[in-house]
Amino acid sequence: MRETVKGRILSGMRPTGRLHIGHLQVLEHWAALQEEYECFYMVADWHALTTTFDETRELAQNIREMVLDWLAVGLDPKKSVLFVQSHVKEHAELHLLFSMITPQSWLERVPTYKEQVQQFSQAGKDISTYGFLGYPLLQAADILVYKADAVPVGEDQLPHLELCREVARRFNHLYRVKLFPEPQAKLAEVPLLPGVDGRKMSKSYGNEITLAASPEEIKQRVRQMITDPARIHPTDPGHPEVCVVDLYQKIYNAEAVADQEERCRRGQVGCVPCKNLLAEKISAALAPIRERRQQFAARPGLVAEILAEGAARAASVAAATLAEVRQAMGLV
Ligand code: TRP
């Protein structure tokens, strides 16, 4: 690992299988950070189990698919430590030790907690487990076991980071040490893209464009994108600010989007040609990713090797932290 000036980064993603272009923005942010920080990128398989404990058949495959997407997008095992959470047992030990000092009420009042339990319950699934309540605490352990300075995450994760800092402060205070830093969120500068229907992009809504999508699949998805509902005829003046195609063009057709918006407002371009152009742009952007992915996927043993090496490197840092933690807590 290279010595870096800016500090250490940790982030994680639950292995949900094939990633989509919403993830692409996140991953490009992760890839850019590799140049300036010491980065640890983790497959959060234990976190996945908090909600999918009863559907684990595809877990191993999902981990592999996700890591292939990571590599295809440019996460580089020579620059960053790529690993699987459950391969580094120190995360679990730190989680357990943190559980001794974390009031249950801190976890119960994390805003996403009750919300999620309710959402899952409406879908017929009970996730009011001990493990799910501890989700943010496990995340705090993930971050603090590497003493990470910054955590690239989406806004939805801010309450979890707040809890992480509270736990770090409490630990330092209780044991009169300066062991843990207070990690800060690093929000991506780009606004996250919605799904084609305008809702949050998610496999469960079926509104996503996967990274591995073929040009034909991309075309189909773009056709489903919601445009200005007030626009009936191509000559009606359009309102790009309420158009999903426009949001995508800002990213995938950045050089021409201003011009395209102007023509839309004047009723000089219809939604169909606009969508066709966007589909071409997205296909062109994803083509090199798709190719690289195929090359990585064709090398047997590659992902396993990368993850084994990543786990070893992560474990050596995590083990050193745990030695300090045990010492601070009188576990000698
Ligand atoms: N909770 C994160 C998510 O759903 C995933 C995650 C697990 C994570 N551990 C982490 C993110 C540590 C950042 C740091 O996206």
Side-chain angles (χ1 to χ4, degrees):
M1 177 139 15
R2 296 157 321 148
E3 288 303 316
T4 45
V5 274
K6 285 204 170 170
R8 188 175 283 167
I9 292 260
L10 174 122
S11 200
M13 225 179 247
R14 282 165 298 152
T16 49
R18 296 279 173 122
L19 299 182
H20 54 60
I21 63 177
H23 296 116
L24 181 55
Q25 293 176 291
V26 175
L27 289 176
E28 282 173 343
H29 186 214
W30 285 16
L33 291 168
Q34 297 181 117
E35 309 305 327
E36 292 178 298
Y37 292 84
E38 183 187 11
C39 295
F40 289 76
Y41 293 130
M42 175 191 88
V43 180
D45 58 345
W46 279 334
H47 277 109
L49 287 182
T50 62
T51 57
T52 63
F53 51 84
D54 57 347
E55 27 188 319
T56 58
R57 246 177 343 123
E58 291 178 356
L59 186 57
Q61 185 62 21
N62 284 347
I63 292 172
R64 179 183 152 79
E65 297 291 354
M66 189 167 83
V67 172
L68 284 171
D69 282 332
W70 284 9
L71 297 172
V73 168
L75 295 195
D76 181 348
K78 289 195 196 73
K79 295 178 183 164
S80 301
V81 180
L82 309 181
F83 70 102
V84 177
Q85 182 183 37
S86 70
H87 296 174
V88 184
K89 311 299 180 204
E90 282 80 0
H91 292 235
E93 185 179 351
L94 190 57
H95 176 220
L96 175 92
L97 294 174
F98 281 166
S99 78
M100 307 300 170
I101 67 164
T102 306
Q104 200 170 309
S105 60
W106 287 13
L107 293 167
E108 285 162 350
R109 67 159 201 245
V110 171
T112 44
Y113 175 68
K114 286 207 175 77
E115 229 169 80
Q116 293 247 52
V117 169
Q118 216 170 29
Q119 257 182 30
F120 273 85
S121 151
Q122 275 160 10
K125 186 160 183 177
D126 183 10
I127 55 161
S128 58
T129 58
Y130 178 50
F132 186 68
L133 180 65
Y135 184 116
L137 194 60
L138 178 57
Q139 185 165 347
D142 297 335
I143 298 166
L144 293 172
V145 83
Y146 303 103
K147 301 184 185 180
D149 305 292
V151 186
V153 282
E155 287 199 25
D156 61 318
Q157 297 293 311
L158 293 180
H160 293 172
L161 272 186
E162 190 57 46
L163 180 94
C164 173
R165 287 190 291 272
E166 279 172 320
V167 171
R169 273 200 291 278
R170 183 164 168 88
F171 186 98
N172 290 346
H173 173 76
L174 275 173
Y175 304 108
R176 299 175 210 296
V177 287
K178 289 202 176 94
L179 214 158
F180 293 118
E182 292 189 19
Q184 302 301 314
K186 220 171 177 17
L187 294 172
E189 274 141 45
V190 279
L192 291 188
L193 287 171
V196 292
D197 57 1
R199 293 190 290 173
K200 181 182 160 147
M201 194 184 301
S202 162
K203 193 158 79 174
S204 53
Y205 292 151
N207 63 1
E208 85 282 25
I209 299 175
T210 62
L211 283 183
S214 67
E216 199 37 53
E217 288 165 330
I218 293 170
K219 212 165 169 185
Q220 258 172 21
R221 282 300 203 208
V222 173
R223 267 196 220 125
Q224 299 169 337
M225 282 184 184
I226 307 284
T227 56
D228 179 1
R231 221 168 169 221
I232 316 279
H233 307 292
T235 48
D236 294 343
H239 304 87
E241 56 283 357
V242 297
C243 176
V244 172
V245 176
D246 185 65
L247 281 176
Y248 274 76
Q249 286 209 75
K250 288 195 165 89
I251 292 166
Y252 290 101
N253 192 19
E255 58 299 339
V257 65
D259 187 51
Q260 197 81 356
E261 284 175 359
E262 198 46 46
R263 293 181 18 182
C264 170
R265 281 185 211 287
R266 292 199 184 131
Q268 292 171 347
V269 60
C271 296
V272 173
C274 205
K275 285 181 167 180
N276 287 341
L277 176 66
L278 176 64
E280 274 169 35
K281 294 283 180 183
I282 295 178
S283 290
L286 295 190
I289 297 174
R290 208 168 42 238
E291 258 164 52
R292 275 199 301 271
R293 194 186 200 283
Q294 279 164 2
Q295 285 166 8
F296 286 122
R299 289 162 61 183
L302 176 76
V303 171
E305 249 167 64
I306 289 171
L307 293 177
E309 199 201 313
R313 287 161 74 192
S316 73
V317 177
T321 304
L322 259 297
E324 291 179 296
V325 168
R326 287 184 213 111
Q327 173 83 29
M329 294 180 89
L331 297 163
V332 277

